[in-house]
């Protein structure tokens, strides 16, 4: 039997660093937030091994452990967690309505959306097996661990060349692999990459296998026009072919930008008054755990202020901002 709809002051959708930090601040404000964790819970940090750039952990910390610590901190102040996914929303009136499938319906006077974004991968079994063991989608997060070794970076846009340029700070050499004959990156980014002696290019080429057992030892590359296969010896592979924001369920409820990320004003406010966004679900520039946590804090403070200014009466129609 599906449970009856439940009314709460504020719901947080997502349980990565943005959602958990929002919940921590909201619970300390005694707003009794309910976090719809998502299945699986925890966001991209659950796929991250060593996190050495999150403040407060001088020896580093494992991604899943960091998630658990923030979650426990939020729970300590009264945050409740629902292990469910949002299947549909109605943001046309307050209380906002979130459908959770078999978990029922949640009615909320304010909502923080922190569903994040997922890196696009090459969908290779070997790539999945070696994620966190030499395969990464974030040079800023993991580049430090690849000092003095050759690396490969897949992609042809500005993000790929930014990653490659960043990796040259650590690597002996970076090979950019792109499946087309021309890069999609802007001219200025291409000029910077071409001028860097530590970067070379394999165009018209694609990675078909990541080599190595416990760690990356190379990649098998196919030349697209000829089909010829070759092995490239590298000790790390960085995939920079974009991210996919987790906004499908909000597509008809909130304004999105041309890439599918939630459009915001004044940092966290969405197109619907009373609904706020935090983390990678709209931030496609920084994409760091610490910046997501900071945005979660801001969304929580904005939601707290909104609730103080808009007492719940169950009948208001939130205007678009």
């Amino acid at each position: 039997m599906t449970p009856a709809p439940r009314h709460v002051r504020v719901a947080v959708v997502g349980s990565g660093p943005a959602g958990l930090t929002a919940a921590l601040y909201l619970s300390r404000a005694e707003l009794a937030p309910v976090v719809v964790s998502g299945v699986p819970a925890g966001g991209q940090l659950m796929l991250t091994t060593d996190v050495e750039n999150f403040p407060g952990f001088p020896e580093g910390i494992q991604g899943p452990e960091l998630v658990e610590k923030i979650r426990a901190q939020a729970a300590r102040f009264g945050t409740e967690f629902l292990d469910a996914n949002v299947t549909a929303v109605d943001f046309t009136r307050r209380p906002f309505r979130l459908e959770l499938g078999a978990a029922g319906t949640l009615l909320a006077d304010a909502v923080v959306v922190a569903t994040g974004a997922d890196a696009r991968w090459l969908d290779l079994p070997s790539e999945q097996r070696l994620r966190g063991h030499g395969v990464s989608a974030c040079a800023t997060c993991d580049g430090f661990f690849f000092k003095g070794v050759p690396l490969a970076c897949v992609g042809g846009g500005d993000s790929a060349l930014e990653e490659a340029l960043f990796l040259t700070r650590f690597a002996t050499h970076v090979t950019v692999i792109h499946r087309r004959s021309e890069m999609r990156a802007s001219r200025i980014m291409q000029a910077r990459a071409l001028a860097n002696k530590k970067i070379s290019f394999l165009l018209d080429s694609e990675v078909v296998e990541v080599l190595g057992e416990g760690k990356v030892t190379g990649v098998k590359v196919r030349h697209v026009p000829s089909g010829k296969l070759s092995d490239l010896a590298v000790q790390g592979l960085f995939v920079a072919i974009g991210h996919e924001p987790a906004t499908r369920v909000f597509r008809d409820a909130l304004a999105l930008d041309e890439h599918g990320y939630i459009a915001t004003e004044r940092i966290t406010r969405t197109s619907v008054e009373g609904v706020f966004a935090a983390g990678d679900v709209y931030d496609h520039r920084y994409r760091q755990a610490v910046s997501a946590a900071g945005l979660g804090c801001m969304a929580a403070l904005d939601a707290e202020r909104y609730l103080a200014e808009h007492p719940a009466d169950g009948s208001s129609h939130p205007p678009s901002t």
Side-chain angles (χ1 to χ4, degrees):
M1 174 184 278
T2 303
R6 179 183 170 193
H7 192 161
V8 299
R9 294 298 308 282
V10 56
V12 177
V13 187
S15 57
L20 293 178
T21 303
L24 170 61
Y25 273 77
L26 290 165
S27 58
R28 291 192 75 250
E30 298 186 342
L31 290 172
V34 173
V35 173
V36 183
S37 299
V39 181
Q44 293 189 71
L45 276 181
M46 299 302 289
L47 303 175
T48 306
T49 51
D50 295 319
V51 179
E52 294 198 333
N53 53 8
F54 199 93
F57 299 94
E59 304 302 322
I61 186 172
Q62 297 285 298
E65 183 183 2
L66 178 58
V67 170
E68 184 54 39
K69 283 183 177 293
I70 307 175
R71 177 174 173 134
Q73 191 174 7
R76 174 189 167 202
F77 293 102
T79 296
E80 181 184 344
F81 295 89
L82 293 178
D83 293 328
N85 288 316
V86 175
T87 59
V89 299
D90 181 356
F91 289 162
T92 60
R93 65 168 60 233
R94 292 179 74 208
F96 303 117
R97 190 179 187 94
L98 296 90
E99 301 293 344
L100 310 180
T105 300
L106 205 59
L107 306 177
D109 299 322
V111 176
V112 173
V113 178
T115 46
D118 297 316
R120 295 191 183 107
W121 297 96
L122 303 175
D123 293 329
L124 302 173
S126 54
E127 170 198 51
Q128 185 174 0
R129 175 171 53 83
L130 289 166
R131 284 185 199 172
H133 300 280
V135 174
S136 172
C138 180
T140 307
C141 309
D142 300 328
F144 178 83
F145 301 112
F146 295 88
K147 289 184 175 180
V149 300
L151 301 173
C153 181
V154 177
D158 279 354
S159 294
L161 297 191
E162 286 175 6
E163 299 265 285
L165 287 163
F166 180 83
L167 290 170
T168 59
R169 302 180 189 183
F170 312 103
T172 57
H173 191 80
V174 179
T175 303
V176 176
I177 303 170
H178 183 48
R179 61 184 176 178
R180 295 189 174 91
S181 59
E182 296 182 355
M183 307 289 287
R184 293 180 291 104
S186 60
R187 289 186 178 182
I188 188 169
M189 288 303 301
Q190 292 191 50
R192 289 175 184 171
L194 288 167
N196 193 308
K197 295 181 180 179
K198 295 177 73 174
I199 296 178
S200 61
F201 296 85
L202 279 179
L203 301 180
D204 278 331
S205 301
E206 60 183 1
V207 174
V208 295
E209 184 181 358
V210 186
L211 307 175
E213 292 302 323
K215 61 180 181 179
V216 173
T217 59
V219 292
K220 188 175 291 295
V221 179
R222 184 173 74 91
H223 183 245
V224 175
S226 67
K228 182 180 178 181
L229 297 175
S230 61
D231 291 350
L232 176 67
V234 294
Q235 294 185 35
L237 174 67
F238 286 79
V239 181
I241 56 176
H243 286 72
E244 193 72 35
T247 54
R248 181 181 299 273
V249 73
F250 306 107
R251 189 168 295 166
D252 297 324
L254 296 173
L256 307 179
D257 69 13
E258 65 272 23
H259 302 295
Y261 291 86
I262 293 178
T264 62
E265 297 180 4
R266 297 190 221 172
I267 303 182
T268 74
R269 297 183 181 183
T270 71
S271 57
V272 174
E273 188 176 351
V275 179
F276 306 88
D280 291 7
V281 75
Y282 83 90
D283 169 32
H284 47 82
R285 178 173 182 177
Y286 300 103
R287 293 198 298 261
Q288 300 297 301
V290 67
S291 59
L295 290 167
C297 164
M298 288 184 265
L301 295 176
D302 286 343
E304 180 185 356
R305 187 175 296 111
Y306 171 80
L307 289 171
E309 296 172 352
H310 298 80
D313 61 6
S315 62
S316 61
H317 295 254
S320 296
T321 58

